[in-house]
Amino acid sequence: MDEPLAPPAPSPAVPAPRPPGRPRTFACPNCGGAVTLRAVGQSISATCSQCSSLIDVADENLRIIQKAQAALEPSEIPIGSRGRLQDVEWEVVGYMRRSDRTGYYEWIEYLLFNPYRGYRFLVREQGHWTLVKMLTRDVPGAGSTIDLTVEGRRYAFFSKGQALTKYVAGEFYWRASTADVTETADYIASPHRLMVESNDEEIIVSEGVYLEPSLVAEAFKLPLADERDGPGVNQPNPHRRWLRVPLAALGVATLLQFGSLALSPGRQVASQTFTLTSADKGKTFASEPFRLDGRGNVEFETSAELKDDWLELDVALVNVETNRSYHASQGLENYSSGRVTERTSELLSPVPAGTYKLLIDTNAGLFTKVAETVPMVAREDYLQTWLRNNGQGGSFPSSQPTIAPAPANPLPSETFTVTVRHAVPIWSNYLGAVGLLALGAGFGFFRDRRFEQSRWEQGGIDEEAPSVSGNLAAGGFVAAAGSSSSDSGTDNWWSSSSDDDDDSGGSSSSDDSSSSSSSEDT
């Protein structure tokens, strides 16, 4: 890759926690400015807030590691700030700015300290925050395999490159320097992250957990803006709920639907067939009474054999006891060449239990059809018939008889059947819900894939990065403008944590993780 991502990497193994001591102030050997140590007895290097020189505080002569590395830089969280994360109160004692080999991708690391819990790193990259804790146990294959499994959690390889320290401020438990360069590898199992930093001498493995920006701002009581730029390396996918919520809702809807099927058998309570002729125009048909046991919806289904005809029904469901009525309309038609059975149904909202009957008003195309008669027999046809029956010798009738019309054909008719069902399961609502949920799941799946694609595009391997050697270091920090110096209430402040069990920064990653975000596999 042209511009590979070099993930944040932690510092060398941290020292075990010690009982807290009072802050110590000494004069900078370079400029004489006051330098305050907060992690007394644990820090090895510190930065002068006046001249930005790096000082070896483990040397009784206060040897200067690096003079005036650069101009002072402000930090979002000033050194000396205190905040509660994962139910532990931390103090910011160090700050450093780091980058990948190209210098294009940068991130910030804050060194946090608690005398009873040790050290943590709070990493900020592209507006995303990760709380990092170093592991003291061996992790086989770290930095050289595609996947890692640590404490039952499977991590997928994300990136590999180099980390350069660009700036340092504050105090550290190693001799920090802007000359530090290390090889890095990064693995993720969102919201968790496994970071590997190595050189020719040792390998350091750390585990981080994603923190929401609002949580960090609340912890340090600072107006930290949410400036997240694209997906975070180990950020929980915010769109995955668009997949989980519709699926969960679909499961609930399915349970409710099948529960409704069990409670709503759709029992047939009445079925009656009626014959409709052209003489029945304006007539109201009435069904036999029937009983509805319990409150429930009512379905009318009408079927009729039609040929080049239409039929409309106005149906009234009438309670014979209260005379209250419920109305529905139905229509059928068929204009094909053959006689076809047409069906239609109508569903009424739940009605009370009781005895009911149907009153049906009809309208049909057959009402326009009239009975046809046999035409009058012509006189010539009558005479020819008489001669044929009586022969030529018969006497011709003295007078022509009166010819009456022949009997009419039967009236056109249609039959229709009305069937009534009670407590009918409704599928339309369920199918509509399934459609909407499928649409939501599809939208969520699309955004989920877009998010993951953008996340993994940041990773890769920097094959051009040369192998590095030398002492492993985490980089440097820069003093924040306006950082507080000493705090007279330090002893009292730390005493509030005296009931906590000893926990060095390199203890098991399972510690202090109860308040973190829940694990979500990538």
Side-chain angles (χ1 to χ4, degrees):
M1 299 179 61
D2 294 335
E3 295 182 352
L5 171 65
S11 348
V14 297
R18 301 176 184 175
R22 290 184 176 277
R24 171 193 169 195
T25 302
F26 63 90
C28 172
N30 182 54
C31 69
V35 179
T36 300
L37 287 182
R38 291 171 175 80
V40 176
Q42 308 230 26
S43 296
I44 293 179
S45 63
T47 304
C48 175
S49 60
Q50 305 297 321
C51 67
S52 193
S53 296
L54 295 176
I55 305 167
D56 185 350
V57 296
D59 187 329
E60 61 180 8
N61 296 319
L62 300 177
R63 180 177 63 88
I64 294 179
I65 301 174
Q66 183 177 356
K67 286 187 178 181
Q69 52 181 327
L72 297 177
E73 290 185 2
S75 61
E76 284 187 293
I77 306 178
I79 294 176
S81 300
R82 293 170 180 169
R84 179 169 289 274
L85 294 171
Q86 298 181 343
D87 292 330
V88 177
E89 193 164 10
W90 303 98
E91 182 176 7
V92 177
V93 296
Y95 163 93
M96 60 183 167
R97 177 168 51 87
R98 309 185 73 189
S99 76
D100 66 347
R101 180 181 56 84
T102 66
Y104 174 78
Y105 184 84
E106 290 191 343
W107 65 91
I108 301 298
E109 297 183 16
Y110 295 91
L111 180 61
L112 309 181
F113 177 70
N114 178 293
Y116 299 98
R117 292 300 183 100
Y119 289 92
R120 298 290 187 274
F121 282 90
L122 183 61
V123 180
R124 182 190 187 278
E125 49 184 335
Q126 295 181 303
H128 298 273
W129 297 86
T130 301
L131 185 63
V132 179
K133 175 182 182 179
M134 284 203 281
L135 307 180
T136 56
R137 61 188 176 281
D138 181 42
V139 180
S144 61
T145 59
I146 297 300
D147 295 320
L148 288 175
T149 300
V150 180
E151 293 188 350
R153 184 180 295 117
R154 179 180 174 274
Y155 291 86
F157 172 79
F158 183 78
S159 64
K160 189 173 184 178
Q162 284 187 325
L164 285 68
T165 302
K166 308 296 286 290
Y167 208 81
V168 297
E171 57 188 272
F172 310 92
Y173 56 85
W174 74 96
R175 290 177 176 84
S177 170
T178 55
D180 295 332
V181 179
T182 57
E183 294 180 0
T184 62
D186 211 13
Y187 298 81
I188 57 175
S190 174
H192 297 276
R193 184 172 179 178
L194 206 65
M195 291 163 280
V196 183
E197 185 169 3
S198 64
N199 61 11
D200 294 337
E201 298 179 0
E202 57 183 334
I203 298 177
I204 301 297
V205 182
S206 299
E207 185 185 51
V209 63
Y210 188 85
L211 298 178
E212 290 292 331
S214 58
L215 180 63
V216 178
E218 181 181 358
F220 288 94
K221 302 296 187 290
L222 293 172
L224 303 178
D226 188 346
E227 298 177 343
R228 285 179 282 193
D229 182 14
V233 173
N234 58 319
Q235 178 187 9
N237 191 326
H239 307 297
R240 191 142 295 176
R241 63 179 178 269
W242 285 96
L243 292 174
R244 294 177 176 176
V245 170
L247 292 177
L250 179 60
V252 172
T254 302
L255 289 176
L256 292 176
Q257 180 65 17
F258 282 93
S260 174
L261 291 177
L263 298 175
S264 304
R267 184 173 60 90
Q268 178 177 309
V269 294
S271 182
Q272 192 167 341
T273 300
F274 303 89
T275 299
L276 180 68
T277 69
S278 58
D280 291 327
K281 185 175 183 180
K283 177 181 178 180
T284 298
F285 292 86
S287 71
E288 297 294 330
F290 53 87
R291 181 73 184 175
L292 299 182
D293 297 325
R295 181 180 178 83
N297 57 25
V298 176
E299 181 186 55
F300 302 113
E301 182 184 82
T302 301
S303 61
E305 289 190 4
L306 301 177
K307 178 184 178 183
D308 194 26
D309 206 349
W310 57 273
L311 175 64
E312 291 183 353
L313 305 178
D314 288 329
V315 183
L317 177 66
V318 181
N319 189 313
V320 298
E321 300 164 350
T322 65
N323 209 35
R324 183 176 179 181
S325 60
Y326 305 86
H327 297 269
S329 297
Q330 295 180 309
L332 303 93
E333 62 180 16
N334 173 45
Y335 293 102
S336 62
S337 58
R339 184 172 291 275
V340 178
T341 300
E342 298 288 338
R343 296 180 184 275
T344 185
S345 61
E346 186 76 18
L347 190 66
L348 290 180
S349 58
V351 298
T355 301
Y356 291 83
K357 65 179 180 179
L358 297 180
L359 297 180
I360 305 172
D361 292 324
T362 61
N363 192 11
L366 62 86
F367 290 161
T368 63
K369 301 175 183 180
V370 297
E372 298 180 353
T373 62
V374 177
M376 299 287 290
V377 180
R379 182 174 183 275
E380 290 77 6
D381 293 339
Y382 171 76
L383 293 176
Q384 290 177 5
T385 301
W386 186 90
L387 290 173
R388 186 168 55 249
N389 294 333
N390 297 280
Q392 296 293 331
S395 58
F396 196 79
S398 58
S399 62
Q400 183 176 342
T402 302
I403 307 300
N409 288 333
L411 293 174
S413 65
E414 299 285 359
T415 60
F416 64 91
T417 301
V418 178
T419 301
V420 182
R421 295 183 180 87
H422 184 227
V424 179
I426 302 175
W427 284 95
S428 58
N429 294 342
Y430 174 73
L431 296 177
V434 169
L436 291 176
L437 292 173
L439 184 63
F443 179 71
F445 179 80
F446 172 75
R447 299 193 68 183
D448 175 269
R449 292 300 89 199
R450 285 279 304 272
F451 183 90
E452 292 300 329
Q453 181 181 1
S454 299
R455 182 209 302 274
W456 287 95
E457 284 176 350
Q458 302 177 60
I461 299 177
D462 182 5
E463 297 179 350
E464 299 180 3
S467 177
V468 298
S469 61
N471 294 329
L472 180 65
F477 290 77
V478 160
S483 299
S484 61
S485 55
S486 61
D487 186 345
S488 59
T490 299
D491 288 345
N492 292 334
W493 178 72
W494 287 124
S495 65
S496 63
S497 304
S498 59
D499 292 336
D500 294 337
D501 295 334
D502 286 348
D503 178 24
S504 68
S507 62
S508 169
S509 63
S510 62
D511 182 62
D512 293 345
S513 61
S514 60
S515 301
S516 63
S517 305
S518 60
S519 176
E520 181 177 2
D521 293 337
T522 303

